[in-house]
Amino acid sequence: MPNKSSFLARIALCMLVGVPSAKAWLPGTYPVATRGFSVDRNNRNDVLAFWHAVYKASEGYEARIKWTGNYTGNNGTTSAAFVGDVERRLNFFRALSGVNTNSKVSTNSPLVIDLKDPLPLPIGSTLKSTAAQSAALMLVRNYDPGTGKNPAMTHNPPSNLIGWSPMAWNAVAKGNFAFGAYGPGAILEYMKEEQSSSLTSSSANNLVGHRRWNLHPEATVYATGDQPGKSAYVPPTNVLYVSQSPLEILPQEPAFVAYPAPGFFPVDLNSRFWSLSCKGADFTKATVQMKDSAGKAVALVATRRDSSYGDPAIIWELPTSAQIRTVYNDTAFDVSVTGVSGPGVPDSYSYKVTLINPNRLLSSQAITGAASLSAKKTGSYTFVPPAGAEGLQVVAAKKSAVAWKETAEVAKDVKVIDGTGANYPLIVKTAAYAGFGAVVGKCAFQLTFPTSYDLLVRGIPDQTFELDRDILVKSGGKLGFKFRRGFMTKASTLVVEASATGGVSWVTVGKPIVGVSDTKYDLKVSTFSAALPASTEPIRIRFRYYASAGAVYTHEAAPKSPTGIFIDDIQVLKCDTLETKKVTTLAGNAKSFTLNATTAGAKLVNKEQWSLRLRTKLGNNWFPAGPSKAITITP
């Protein structure tokens, strides 16, 4: 029997105590720029494009870090591409917040030396990046995973620490640092000010100092130090050097900087703490009022005022109901801050923040035209291209009543989208597990946890696979499959989910399948059957395996054991399928599409039913298709 394992992820953040540019990102052009951005926050489609073209361009950084160090004392270096990822992510947030986006994450800027700093001083020619890299390694080398203690987590680390040096001291004294995150991931944590339960009262987060240094309008030169970690016991770290020398300051006129920023704002970036800062402002007597979209007052948990980090700020803590991180419908909040004082500073500031799902396009993608078309003729169909569209696609699909079944037996015939970990195969031969035998056929789909701790998600990653079929549910439509639980603890759950929105939102189908024993697996096959949700649009179906609190079995710990759950013979009843025959790509300003045998991708036959759907490209990302235009073929 394999070993169980679990780990409670910890994340700690500590901070230093103490004219928009022209748009420079061109969707579809890579590598994407790292600075000089601007975005129209009042244009929803522009924010969507900015998110996908710029924010998403820094994802995948773990493959680009190319750290050359080790955990015995070599600080190492990181790649130029990775440093660019950090610079792009930092300037993404600065652009979204309306401040200067020409800030560099430099590899050749010297340290900021203060003669009041404790001696010995580092060499003045030492670079910020070199010092930050040294500090990042010092943070992890002093961590005791047994106790969770780390004496290096301070901005005045004692000289008896492993890896201590004057330059490492200088970097943590003059920078933000994160424990448990690195690179662009650390920038995200600094902005959201996430914290573990043990740090709920820490001023390192509730005064949003990391965020304020990252958004300081006058800052122009930062530096990053990173090591990627290798396990839950040797986690990643980041040190972001934020102090500026006098020559690196770009003087700015007083202006309010809010986070979340006014306008349309990706909900993924929402925070427990909202803030407003301004150079020269006095928020001592300022008050905050916040209302939801219904005009109801939001009861704030706490309001704090601070002048220690970057520009003076007022910070308010939201109730749980407003700390939302996912939405389907746009969700707006009105904010009014009054009682501000200070020379040249307005005495009040009011604005609206609309939290949006950055994967949902609200612009109409409807196609209009005749509901029937002669097989001997061509049909013209029209649409209005969404604002800012970089490209359009028309998906032509034919309705099919042909029954199908996913058996996992012939890999080339399997129509699924694999969302599982890289260290185990989605399709397995069950006979490979001694004493386990077949599920139904020789092969089955397996969902198991690849590891007990993923360095990026800081926990156990969900495992998924999606049926690559567009399913049209008729009255009484059902989903069925056969399954057998392997080693699957009570903290492990499989849910089947359906989406009529192209994967933007999901609903649960039937009852979840939960592990029933921490020590046994199923001795026989069980059957799942559940009604599918009625929908006027085709639905997608996915299988999601996730962990709740508690120990789990992992493939990493027991690669030769039947961990997780095995699924086979997936089929639907009383359903049709839309079989995509051809996808035609059009220019972003196109307004019409001609349907015939060539553009359909197949001969049009009397009594067939076809569907046309429009897809839009924004920020080099193809959004889910719009509503179906049903067409019946006539003689």
Side-chain angles (χ1 to χ4, degrees):
M1 184 175 65
N3 293 325
K4 294 178 290 183
S5 58
S6 64
F7 185 83
L8 176 61
R10 296 178 179 176
I11 179 72
L13 298 175
C14 292
M15 78 176 79
L16 172 61
V17 179
V19 178
S21 59
K23 184 174 294 186
W25 55 277
L26 297 175
T29 301
Y30 289 90
V32 175
T34 58
R35 50 196 170 98
F37 305 133
S38 69
V39 59
D40 183 353
R41 298 178 301 196
N42 294 313
N43 183 321
R44 193 179 189 280
N45 283 7
D46 204 45
V47 173
L48 292 182
F50 191 55
W51 166 269
H52 285 282
V54 178
Y55 184 90
K56 288 292 187 177
S58 287
E59 295 292 86
Y61 58 87
E62 64 276 12
R64 295 186 290 271
I65 184 171
K66 301 187 185 304
W67 182 53
T68 62
N70 59 48
Y71 296 99
T72 58
N74 179 6
N75 299 326
T77 60
T78 60
S79 73
F82 175 82
V83 174
D85 286 332
V86 177
E87 183 172 286
R88 182 186 302 109
R89 181 64 57 86
L90 176 66
N91 281 311
F92 167 88
F93 280 107
R94 290 176 68 87
L96 200 61
S97 302
V99 300
N100 157 46
T101 66
N102 284 312
S103 292
K104 297 179 181 179
V105 176
S106 176
T107 57
N108 58 11
S109 178
L111 293 180
V112 176
I113 302 295
D114 187 341
L115 295 180
K116 297 180 181 179
D117 288 342
L119 297 176
L121 293 173
I123 299 173
S125 60
T126 302
L127 302 179
K128 288 181 179 180
S129 57
T130 303
Q133 197 65 36
S134 176
L137 192 63
M138 180 182 68
L139 288 181
V140 71
R141 292 184 72 197
N142 288 277
Y143 174 53
D144 182 351
T147 64
K149 295 181 179 180
N150 191 342
M153 295 287 285
T154 169
H155 289 283
N156 186 20
S159 59
N160 62 348
L161 293 181
I162 301 170
W164 187 95
S165 67
M167 68 175 176
W169 182 94
N170 178 278
V172 294
K174 301 181 187 300
N176 296 336
F177 58 80
F179 190 77
Y182 71 107
I187 301 298
L188 174 62
E189 300 300 338
Y190 294 142
M191 298 304 299
K192 293 197 299 185
E193 296 289 2
E194 299 284 10
Q195 55 193 21
S196 71
S197 59
S198 64
L199 294 176
T200 52
S201 62
S202 171
S203 63
N205 300 105
N206 60 32
L207 295 180
V208 299
H210 310 93
R211 175 192 303 167
R212 288 157 61 192
W213 283 127
N214 286 8
L215 297 181
H216 193 205
E218 297 185 340
T220 64
V221 181
Y222 295 81
T224 187
D226 301 86
Q227 60 80 23
K230 60 180 181 179
S231 70
Y233 306 105
V234 185
T237 57
N238 167 268
V239 175
L240 185 71
Y241 204 109
V242 301
S243 288
Q244 309 288 303
S245 71
L247 294 178
E248 294 168 345
I249 294 293
L250 180 66
Q252 300 285 304
E253 293 298 319
F256 287 113
V257 178
Y259 190 94
F264 294 104
F265 192 86
V267 69
D268 310 59
L269 310 179
N270 191 23
S271 171
R272 169 184 172 185
F273 301 106
W274 287 31
S275 61
L276 182 71
S277 60
C278 183
K279 178 181 179 180
D282 184 349
F283 292 101
T284 304
K285 298 181 179 180
T287 58
V288 180
Q289 288 186 324
M290 188 169 168
K291 295 181 179 180
D292 62 20
S293 55
K296 183 179 178 180
V298 176
L300 305 181
V301 175
T303 302
R304 304 176 178 91
R305 300 153 184 86
D306 181 76
S307 299
S308 303
Y309 317 108
D311 291 327
I314 185 168
I315 307 99
W316 55 102
E317 185 174 350
L318 304 187
T320 302
S321 60
Q323 297 177 31
I324 50 179
R325 299 300 171 85
T326 59
V327 296
Y328 180 69
N329 295 316
D330 290 3
T331 302
F333 293 95
D334 289 296
V335 177
S336 178
V337 180
T338 58
V340 185
S341 60
V345 178
D347 60 6
S348 65
Y349 186 55
S350 298
Y351 58 100
K352 181 191 293 286
V353 175
T354 302
L355 300 176
I356 66 172
N357 185 323
N359 296 309
R360 187 184 181 202
L361 179 65
L362 292 187
S363 299
S364 173
Q365 296 188 95
I367 294 178
T368 60
S372 62
L373 175 66
S374 170
K376 300 176 182 179
K377 297 182 179 180
T378 61
S380 180
Y381 293 86
T382 62
F383 45 82
V384 177
E390 301 151 21
L392 300 170
Q393 288 181 339
V394 176
V395 181
K398 184 176 72 172
K399 181 189 287 189
S400 172
V402 176
W404 52 267
K405 183 184 290 187
E406 290 293 357
T407 65
E409 295 304 314
V410 183
K412 69 180 181 62
D413 296 331
V414 173
K415 293 184 177 182
V416 300
I417 299 172
D418 188 351
T420 61
N423 67 340
Y424 75 97
L426 172 61
I427 297 176
V428 296
K429 293 184 177 180
T430 53
Y433 300 112
F436 196 70
V439 173
V440 177
K442 296 179 180 179
C443 296
F445 300 101
Q446 181 188 17
L447 291 178
T448 185
F449 297 119
T451 178
S452 62
Y453 186 78
D454 182 273
L455 291 171
L456 292 183
V457 304
R458 295 189 296 278
I460 302 171
D462 290 2
Q463 299 295 287
T464 68
F465 72 90
E466 180 181 336
L467 301 183
D468 194 13
R469 299 178 187 269
D470 292 316
I471 299 168
L472 297 167
V473 182
K474 297 187 290 189
S475 178
K478 291 184 177 181
L479 169 74
F481 60 89
K482 296 176 181 178
F483 70 91
R484 185 175 176 183
R485 284 169 289 208
F487 287 110
M488 179 178 168
T489 71
K490 295 178 181 180
S492 307
T493 302
L494 174 77
V495 288
V496 182
E497 298 172 318
S499 174
T501 59
V504 176
S505 62
W506 297 87
V507 296
T508 300
V509 173
K511 294 182 179 180
I513 300 173
V514 183
V516 294
S517 172
D518 284 0
T519 60
K520 299 178 181 179
Y521 54 73
D522 288 347
L523 298 178
K524 62 180 182 179
V525 172
S526 299
T527 300
F528 176 99
S529 180
L532 290 171
S535 173
T536 58
E537 294 296 326
I539 68 168
R540 307 285 289 185
I541 294 174
R542 75 176 180 185
F543 295 77
R544 182 167 65 91
Y545 186 58
Y546 69 91
S548 54
V552 298
Y553 290 106
T554 69
H555 179 79
E556 178 183 51
K560 296 184 179 181
S561 296
T563 57
I565 188 167
F566 298 81
I567 301 161
D568 206 351
D569 277 10
I570 307 167
Q571 61 183 328
V572 294
L573 301 175
K574 295 185 178 181
C575 294
D576 292 329
T577 305
L578 278 182
E579 296 181 349
T580 297
K581 295 299 182 180
K582 189 170 184 178
V583 178
T584 302
T585 301
L586 308 172
N589 59 355
K591 297 181 180 180
S592 64
F593 174 80
T594 299
L595 178 63
N596 53 38
T598 301
T599 59
K603 184 178 179 180
L604 301 177
V605 178
N606 183 32
K607 297 184 179 181
E608 286 182 343
Q609 291 183 306
W610 283 74
S611 165
L612 296 180
R613 287 175 291 164
L614 185 70
R615 297 182 68 201
T616 301
K617 186 180 184 182
L618 288 172
N620 206 44
N621 174 72
W622 288 104
F623 282 79
S628 299
K629 174 61 185 179
I631 303 165
T632 300
I633 306 302
T634 62

